[in-house]
Amino acid sequence: MSASSQQQGPVVRWIDQRLPIFSFLQHELHEYPTPKNLNYWWNFGSLAGIVLVIMIATGIFLAMNYTPHVDHAFDSVERIMRDVNYGWLIRYVHMNGASMFFLVVYIHIFRGLYYGSYKPPRELLWWLGLIILLLMMATAFMGYVLPWGQMSFWGATVITNLFSAIPWVGEPIVTWLWGGFAVDNPTLQRFFSLHYLLPFVIVAVVMLHLVALHTAKSNNPLGIDPKSDKDTIPFHPYYTIKDSFGLGVLLIVYMALVFYAPNALGEAENYVPANPLQTPEEIVPEWYLLPFYAILRSVPDKLGGVVLMFASIFILFVLPWLDTSKVRSARFRPIYRQVFWIFVLACIVLGWAGAQKPEGAALMIGRLATAYYFFHLLILMPILGKFEKTRPLPESISQPVLKN
Amino acid sequence: MSDTVHGHGGEDGETRRDFLVLASAALGAAGAGLAIWPLIDSMNPAKDVLALSTIEVDLTPIAVGQRITVKWRGKPVFVDHRSPEQIAKAAADDNASLKDPQTDKDRVKKPEWLVLVGVCTHLGCVPLGQKVGQPRGDFGGWFCPCHGSHYDTSGRIRVGPAPVNLEVPTYSFLNDTTLRIG
């Protein structure tokens, strides 16, 4: 690629010699050698980044009209819906944006699982992604508390009470989290503060995620490293245009929700102001947390459930070592590519079970799915890598195409 | 860019590509502008703020010579029940050298009631002179302590950095004793 700073005008050159932002962008976006065989599953990383920007932009404007106080929070949200110009639009974009963010990120994670993107040399890239997921969950949870509806209040109560399961120090920790003896104004105010802070922490970790990505370079559907220049193309314009097309599709789905079914993914109960004296009949988290909620409830022991729920995420940190297969892409792993889909199914079943009352068949199904989740990661992955007979890998990314 | 994959990079192909790039960039910019507008417009006054934009003032308790302050759209509004001497003084000053020439007649609906937005036209302080004992400046009207603007009994700027007279808000008399501002 030709050096762009030579082609640019004198102003760009003057800036670039003092602060090399233009050669940085040129290097990371234009020249960044991307495998030429990336499919549409590779769209979801940049889509997640765009949704993050939308969330921060809408969130900043919501915060201009929101009041973090138990007496005013609910009314200030209703004022946003009724009185503030386009307030309804900004809030619905923000609300459904959370769902879109998790949808896109979950697909991004499953793509990584299928194509082995967590394997060397991308372990830290994978870890940073998991840290982003944890930060997203904390941010989404605290954001859900802010409207101070019934689900906000009781969701906050239930989730903070998880920490009371810790032996000895559990109760003092919960009191500390609340800033009182129940979820109350101090809790709401600190949640607002943190809900504003954490997205910027996410931005910082996303930057590290990108640095790690551009160091290890993108994985690809074949899971083999590019051998020569023939195997790569510049990110811009080839993948900027491919990502733009994916963005168009995402926005169609996203805006269909915003304009035609803005509350389809939410709980109607949260439009009832918080009442600390009356718990709603059923407390259900937002859909994106349901699988973890199902794992929590599948264990009849308080501490056990909490431990298992946290373990379900933390176990993913050691996945690069649990998976003993040297082959990255599931395309060349005949058994893994099938059990992968059983794992996806188990996660969906967990999501379903999390939405049901924890009794009878639903509870049993949730337990089975929980067991399979851990069986897959802890037992199947290590064994499969040892015994599975993988298909031969192509010599290069270009080779299978050129043969035809 | 030109040395890679473009293949048949003839003159014709290049211009068509340039057109596509420009057209999609323009469309994208227009879309981004449209998407940003709701965010910007959300910072304009909301409907509940606009709904509070008129107030009514009962004039019966205000004695001749008394000045009261009411809040309208978050700003102080001075209502001055002027005495005949003050009215005469204001009318006499119509011919004085004024920075922002205006006759007293043009600034009031009824000579005994002077209604002003109590915000100095210099940098937004509230001028003194509403309360008994406060300085009223050299011309018997109001005096802004921030940067020393003197206003006369018609609220006109006479001396100091303020560029124009104190603003007269939109108002009307619903009857002899009720004033509606806004």
Side-chain angles (χ1 to χ4, degrees):
Chain A
M1 297 293 103
S2 47
S4 75
S5 56
Q6 306 294 299
Q7 304 165 351
Q8 305 293 350
V11 178
V12 168
R13 216 166 30 237
W14 188 91
I15 296 172
D16 207 55
Q17 279 162 0
R18 287 150 183 84
L19 184 73
I21 40 172
F22 293 102
S23 28
F24 174 79
L25 289 176
Q26 168 78 6
H27 184 68
E28 297 300 331
L29 282 178
H30 193 111
E31 292 162 14
Y32 177 63
T34 321
K36 66 182 184 185
N37 57 336
L38 299 189
N39 56 31
Y40 274 109
W41 298 113
W42 261 263
N43 274 20
F44 289 88
S46 71
L47 292 182
I50 291 166
V51 178
L52 175 61
V53 170
I54 294 175
M55 292 302 279
I56 290 178
T58 49
I60 285 170
F61 286 88
L62 287 176
M64 291 179 188
N65 289 296
Y66 171 76
T67 311
H69 187 285
V70 287
D71 294 336
H72 306 292
F74 189 90
D75 291 345
S76 74
V77 172
E78 284 307 307
R79 180 177 168 272
I80 289 171
M81 296 301 293
R82 291 153 200 244
D83 287 341
V84 175
N85 301 327
Y86 292 106
W88 58 273
L89 178 61
I90 299 172
R91 176 162 175 265
Y92 279 154
V93 167
H94 195 75
M95 223 170 87
N96 288 288
S99 285
M100 287 299 114
F101 203 5
F102 276 95
L103 177 70
V104 164
V105 161
Y106 282 152
I107 294 174
H108 187 61
I109 294 172
F110 279 118
R111 189 270 288 154
L113 286 174
Y114 187 83
Y115 293 109
S117 299
Y118 48 87
K119 292 189 198 187
R122 299 189 180 84
E123 302 95 319
L124 286 184
L125 179 60
W126 175 252
W127 279 16
L128 289 163
L130 290 173
I131 290 169
I132 293 171
L133 176 64
L134 289 169
L135 286 168
M136 277 172 65
M137 288 175 168
T139 311
F141 158 66
M142 287 191 270
Y144 193 65
V145 175
L146 301 184
W148 210 242
Q150 273 288 68
M151 276 297 159
S152 299
F153 182 88
W154 293 101
T157 303
V158 169
I159 299 296
T160 48
N161 260 317
L162 290 180
F163 294 90
S164 71
I166 304 168
W168 306 107
V169 291
E171 288 296 332
I173 283 180
V174 173
T175 308
W176 175 75
L177 285 173
W178 287 340
F181 302 99
V183 173
D184 208 337
N185 199 44
T187 328
L188 178 61
Q189 287 180 324
R190 64 189 61 184
F191 277 17
F192 178 59
S193 173
L194 293 172
H195 183 73
Y196 209 116
L197 167 74
L198 288 185
F200 296 97
V201 179
I202 293 179
V203 168
V205 185
V206 166
M207 295 290 176
L208 294 177
H209 194 66
L210 284 175
V211 172
L213 173 70
H214 283 224
T215 307
K217 307 284 190 249
S218 301
N219 188 24
N220 64 77
L222 294 175
I224 57 174
D225 293 327
K227 296 285 190 305
S228 69
D229 288 349
K230 286 211 171 80
D231 288 342
T232 62
I233 46 175
F235 185 85
H236 178 77
Y238 297 104
Y239 287 114
T240 37
I241 202 69
K242 191 164 185 166
D243 286 350
S244 305
F245 177 75
L247 175 64
V249 176
L250 175 77
L251 287 179
I252 289 172
V253 177
Y254 186 176
M255 292 303 127
L257 272 175
V258 166
F259 288 109
Y260 296 103
N263 291 303
L265 299 172
E267 274 295 317
E269 188 75 21
N270 215 31
Y271 284 102
V272 177
N275 180 0
L277 302 180
Q278 195 192 351
T279 309
E281 296 240 326
E282 236 185 316
I283 302 183
V284 192
E286 294 286 86
W287 70 267
Y288 41 81
L289 298 177
L290 285 174
F292 305 100
Y293 197 55
I295 294 176
L296 171 78
R297 297 194 304 186
S298 68
V299 184
D301 176 64
K302 186 177 179 182
L303 180 61
V306 174
V307 167
L308 208 64
M309 185 184 71
F310 282 107
S312 68
I313 297 174
F314 283 102
I315 200 173
L316 294 173
F317 279 88
V318 287
L319 184 61
W321 296 273
L322 287 172
D323 185 350
T324 50
S325 176
K326 292 280 178 291
V327 176
R328 291 198 193 107
S329 173
R331 268 194 200 176
F332 305 103
R333 302 183 60 190
I335 304 175
Y336 176 69
R337 75 182 295 177
Q338 290 172 32
V339 294
F340 168 82
W341 289 108
I342 305 178
F343 182 70
V344 173
L345 185 70
C347 293
I348 294 170
V349 168
L350 278 174
W352 170 83
Q356 312 304 314
K357 281 210 166 79
E359 57 198 21
L363 183 62
M364 273 324 290
I365 292 171
R367 282 179 178 163
L368 284 174
T370 303
Y372 187 81
Y373 181 94
F374 286 97
F375 169 76
H376 176 94
L377 292 169
L378 281 175
I379 298 170
L380 214 49
M381 292 296 261
I383 292 178
L384 213 51
K386 293 228 163 67
F387 296 100
E388 186 179 33
K389 194 166 164 2
T390 56
R391 296 208 183 106
L393 294 173
E395 271 163 42
S396 74
I397 292 173
S398 299
Q399 188 237 0
V401 187
L402 293 177
K403 244 203 289 196
N404 297 335
Chain B
M1 203 162 134
S2 47
D3 53 354
T4 30
V5 206
H6 296 176
H8 338 279
E11 292 296 311
D12 205 7
E14 280 300 290
T15 40
R16 204 181 293 165
R17 177 173 298 242
D18 289 349
F19 171 74
L20 281 173
V21 168
L22 264 175
S24 30
L27 198 66
L34 283 174
I36 285 169
W37 171 247
L39 298 178
I40 294 170
D41 193 35
S42 77
M43 293 174 74
N44 277 320
K47 292 184 190 71
D48 61 329
V49 177
L50 295 175
L52 293 176
S53 55
T54 60
I55 56 161
E56 287 177 14
V57 183
D58 179 13
L59 298 176
T60 35
I62 308 171
V64 175
Q66 195 187 353
R67 291 168 170 180
I68 65 146
T69 306
V70 293
K71 199 171 146 192
W72 173 68
R73 285 188 181 176
K75 287 190 267 190
V77 169
F78 296 164
V79 181
D80 183 6
H81 195 170
R82 296 192 294 184
S83 63
E85 304 86 73
Q86 286 174 314
I87 298 170
K89 197 170 174 220
D93 281 351
D94 283 351
N95 301 317
S97 89
L98 296 172
K99 206 182 207 176
D100 178 16
Q102 237 183 340
T103 59
D104 184 54
K105 225 195 225 164
D106 291 340
R107 293 177 57 77
V108 291
K109 290 201 171 143
K110 293 182 181 177
E112 63 271 34
W113 295 105
L114 176 65
V115 184
L116 300 166
V117 175
V119 174
C120 180
T121 56
H122 180 221
L123 292 174
C125 298
V126 178
L128 299 174
Q130 283 298 93
K131 285 186 182 144
V132 180
Q134 280 182 345
R136 293 190 166 192
D138 297 347
F139 301 89
W142 289 266
F143 171 69
C144 183
C146 291
H147 304 93
S149 289
H150 298 255
Y151 296 92
D152 66 14
T153 48
S154 189
R156 290 174 295 203
I157 177 65
R158 302 297 290 272
V159 170
V164 294
N165 302 333
L166 287 178
E167 189 197 333
V168 178
T170 314
Y171 68 89
S172 55
F173 292 95
L174 296 181
N175 52 48
D176 280 351
T177 57
T178 313
L179 170 70
R180 189 173 76 183
I181 304 172

